[in-house]
């Protein structure tokens, strides 16, 4: 089943985010290589594809896991969690409707 993982950044997280980004992307690449990643990306803090020093307010990952607990365990092991980028992470079941 698909799960939506939403990480909410702490204020002024950009430096921590950039430091932990290579390890974060490595985990996402592994999901993609396994054919389990539907989409992933950050929420810019301003209305811009490249928010510069304004940074980001969080991230969204939609991926396939065997259970909500498996998705939660995966999310809690994210390098952004370990680096203190995220103030919190939520995991919810997700049903894709579009595109078909």
């Amino acid at each position: 089943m698909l799960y939506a993982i939403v990480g909410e950044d702490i204020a002024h997280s950009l430096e921590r985010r950039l430091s932990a980004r290579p390890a974060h992307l490595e985990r996402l690449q592994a999901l993609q290589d396994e054919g389990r990643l539907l989409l992933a990306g950050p929420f810019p803090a301003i209305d811009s594809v490249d928010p510069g020093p304004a940074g980001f307010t969080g991230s969204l990952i939609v991926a396939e896991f065997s259970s909500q607990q498996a998705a939660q365990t995966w999310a809690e092991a994210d390098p952004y969690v370990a680096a203190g980028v995220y103030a919190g992470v939520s995991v919810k079941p997700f049903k894709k409707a579009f595109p078909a």
Side-chain angles (χ1 to χ4, degrees):
M1 180 165 187
L2 293 173
Y3 294 89
I5 300 169
V6 179
E8 297 287 337
D9 282 23
I10 63 166
H12 312 292
S13 64
L14 186 57
E15 186 176 318
R16 290 180 187 191
R17 179 180 269 273
L18 292 175
S19 177
R21 189 169 189 262
H24 173 77
L25 294 179
E26 186 176 313
R27 294 180 83 232
L28 292 172
Q29 185 65 54
L31 283 179
Q32 182 172 302
D33 292 348
E34 295 167 5
R36 297 172 41 205
L37 182 64
L38 184 64
L39 64 90
F43 300 119
I46 60 173
D47 189 11
S48 174
V49 173
D50 181 6
F56 301 91
T57 62
S59 303
L60 170 65
I61 299 165
V62 179
E64 184 179 346
F65 291 91
S66 61
S67 67
Q68 188 165 356
Q69 183 57 52
Q72 186 72 46
T73 298
W74 186 91
E76 290 171 359
D78 194 284
Y80 283 174
V81 172
V85 173
Y86 292 154
V89 179
S90 66
V91 177
K92 297 180 180 184
F94 180 81
K95 183 178 178 189
K96 181 183 171 207
F98 288 95

